[in-house]
């Protein structure tokens, strides 16, 4: 039986069991097939984005509206009382008195957990610093299932900034549930954090570390590209040195598996050239659309309406 997610916070992917994850994916699939325009009528989403976002914020807001609910919030904390020095705790405590559920993004690791302490309303983490991005991972898993027909036992490469990329952390942790074979492709300085590698080892998940995409591209079912997270580098010169380390081009796809699919949480900068977009392997735009259905499912589940 999946956990009843009514009134639950969605802070870290690790807090969801495999049954929970599959339940969320199933509910999202139903919503994709059969829209429910009145399901959340009368409910209000607080959309609190303390850090820039296109997909996460707009898909949460669209998800709420497409389910018949409404949205208040902000995309820029400089127009809120944060600017006057109000603490995150106080802001969320107050916003929780106005709304039924809160989707939040914040640059600090642990901020979503702190927000959850401030209110009884469900907090859904839309990304906290370099830590976690659980809703991205749920839409990634949904997309993997959609394009491969299964999640279990796949060979999945995660490429790019595995140190600061929160989507890579949540995804690697979630894939523990699905017996994935993982390939981490990153410069040494941006490899997967040791604590996550230790979690994988403890669960006997096989993974290997690589420096070049070419070493693994013809073996994998999913090539998960990510952006180098310039905004999290303490040294801008280091970012300049490393920012174009991986650039996936169409010419690199000649010998890949027929059903290999390329995912990317987006936004991309230079790491996938536009000529890849028109190949059958590109699946990142479909992936972004799936965020809508996953976030609809999460809003409805945390509000106890599914
Ligand atoms: N994937 C993702 O989180 O995109 P945004 O930063 O645009 O929300």
């Amino acid at each position: 039986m999946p956990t009843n997610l009514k009134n639950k916070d969605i802070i870290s992917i690790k807090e969801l069991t495999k049954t929970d994850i599959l339940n969320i994916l199933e509910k999202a699939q139903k919503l994709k097939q059969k829209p429910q325009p009145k399901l959340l009528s009368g409910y209000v989403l607080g959309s609190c984005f303390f850090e820039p976002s296109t997909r996460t914020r707009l898909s949460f807001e669209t998800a709420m509206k497409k389910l018949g609910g409404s949205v208040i919030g902000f995309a820029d904390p400089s127009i809120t009382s944060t600017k006057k020095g109000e603490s995150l705790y106080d802001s969320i405590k107050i916003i929780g008195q106005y709304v039924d559920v809160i989707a939040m993004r914040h640059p600090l690791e642990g901020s979503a957990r702190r927000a959850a302490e401030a209110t009884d309303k469900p907090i859904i983490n839309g990304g906290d610093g370099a830590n976690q991005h659980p809703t991205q991972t749920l839409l990634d898993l949904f997309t993997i299932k959609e394009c491969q027909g299964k999640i279990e036992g796949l060979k999945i490469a995660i490429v790019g900034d595995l140190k600061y990329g929160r989507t890579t952390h949540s995804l690697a942790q979630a894939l523990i549930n699905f017996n994935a074979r993982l390939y981490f492709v990153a410069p040494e300085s941006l490899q997967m954090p040791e604590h996550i590698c230790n979690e994988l080892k403890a669960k006997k998940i096989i993974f290997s570390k690589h420096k070049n995409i070419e070493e693994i591209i013809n073996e994998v079912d999913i090539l998960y590209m990510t952006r180098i997270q310039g905004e999290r580098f303490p040294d801008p010169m280091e970012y300049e040195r490393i920012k174009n380390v991986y650039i996936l081009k169409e010419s690199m796809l000649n010998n890949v598996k027929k059903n290999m699919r390329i995912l990317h949480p987006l936004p991309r900068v230079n790491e996938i050239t536009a000529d890849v977009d028109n190949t059958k392997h590109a699946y990142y735009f479909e992936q972004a659309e799936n965020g809508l259905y996953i976030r609809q499912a999460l809003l409805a589940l945390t509000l106890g309406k599914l």
Side-chain angles (χ1 to χ4, degrees):
M1 274 290 284
T3 313
N4 182 353
L5 293 181
K6 185 177 180 185
N7 289 329
K8 296 274 185 227
D9 303 305
I10 308 290
I11 306 292
S12 163
I13 199 72
K14 286 171 63 179
E15 291 164 354
L16 297 172
T17 64
K18 181 176 182 176
T19 312
D20 293 335
I21 291 172
L22 292 175
N23 180 44
I24 295 164
L25 267 49
E26 185 198 318
K27 298 291 191 299
Q29 184 61 39
K30 285 193 175 143
L31 287 162
K32 184 169 184 174
Q33 281 162 348
K34 190 169 183 287
Q36 298 235 28
K38 294 191 179 145
L39 188 67
L40 296 187
S41 174
Y43 288 94
V44 181
L45 166 69
S47 173
C48 302
F49 279 70
F50 295 85
E51 195 183 56
S53 166
T54 298
R55 277 146 293 274
T56 309
R57 183 175 70 83
L58 296 179
S59 63
F60 259 119
E61 295 183 4
T62 308
M64 192 57 164
K65 290 181 181 182
K66 280 189 178 271
L67 292 173
S70 53
V71 180
I72 64 161
F74 54 89
D76 176 0
S78 72
I79 60 155
T80 73
S81 288
T82 301
K83 181 89 176 160
K84 303 173 204 160
E86 185 170 58
S87 68
L88 175 67
Y89 186 95
D90 284 3
S91 297
I92 295 297
K93 192 169 185 63
I94 303 306
I95 296 165
Q97 291 168 344
Y98 303 152
V99 304
D100 302 291
V101 55
I102 294 175
M104 188 186 109
R105 171 172 289 184
H106 196 283
L108 291 181
E109 295 182 26
S111 52
R113 184 90 53 209
R114 180 69 180 146
E117 289 165 3
T119 178
D120 290 337
K121 303 295 167 59
I123 295 283
I124 307 181
N125 183 6
D128 61 327
N131 186 31
Q132 283 276 319
H133 197 345
T135 69
Q136 177 68 45
T137 293
L138 290 164
L139 78 89
D140 294 341
L141 296 173
F142 182 94
T143 305
I144 291 169
K145 188 158 187 229
E146 183 175 81
C147 67
Q148 295 290 342
K150 62 175 186 177
I151 310 174
E152 207 75 40
L154 294 174
K155 294 181 173 180
I156 299 181
I158 308 181
V159 181
D161 187 345
L162 314 188
K163 178 178 181 184
Y164 297 116
R166 55 194 171 201
T167 68
T168 74
H169 303 160
S170 304
L171 181 60
Q173 289 170 323
L175 287 169
I176 289 173
N177 294 297
F178 298 96
N179 196 28
R181 163 65 166 99
L182 298 176
Y183 303 78
F184 297 143
V185 184
E188 212 168 302
S189 60
L190 296 181
Q191 259 296 351
M192 190 59 80
E194 210 44 43
H195 72 94
I196 294 180
C197 292
N198 288 339
E199 286 175 34
L200 298 172
K201 281 181 201 158
K203 298 287 182 181
K204 301 200 173 357
I205 296 298
I206 299 174
F207 66 92
S208 49
K209 295 181 180 177
H210 304 267
K211 289 219 168 71
N212 301 306
I213 296 178
E214 288 83 353
E215 291 171 40
I216 52 84
I217 193 166
N218 298 336
E219 274 185 51
V220 300
D221 303 297
I222 295 287
L223 186 68
Y224 190 93
M225 299 293 295
T226 64
R227 176 177 69 88
I228 306 294
Q229 308 267 305
E231 68 275 30
R232 307 208 194 282
F233 274 62
D235 176 1
M237 294 296 285
E238 176 63 4
Y239 171 65
E240 285 303 314
R241 190 182 70 75
I242 224 162
K243 66 181 184 186
N244 290 324
V245 62
Y246 299 120
I247 301 181
L248 182 68
K249 300 179 182 143
E250 187 185 6
S251 59
M252 295 162 71
L253 302 175
N254 290 337
N255 296 311
V256 300
K257 283 186 176 174
K258 231 159 74 183
N259 199 38
M260 190 275 272
R261 292 291 178 268
I262 302 158
L263 304 186
H264 190 311
L266 305 177
R268 70 173 150 183
V269 185
N270 290 325
E271 57 278 0
I272 302 178
T273 56
D275 58 5
V276 175
D277 296 358
N278 298 323
T279 71
K280 68 176 184 183
H281 302 289
Y283 210 77
Y284 27 90
F285 295 124
E286 291 89 342
Q287 178 187 6
E289 182 193 324
N290 286 336
L292 192 52
Y293 312 115
I294 282 292
R295 290 172 178 128
Q296 284 186 348
L298 287 170
L299 290 170
L301 283 163
T302 55
L303 288 169
K305 300 299 281 186
L306 271 182

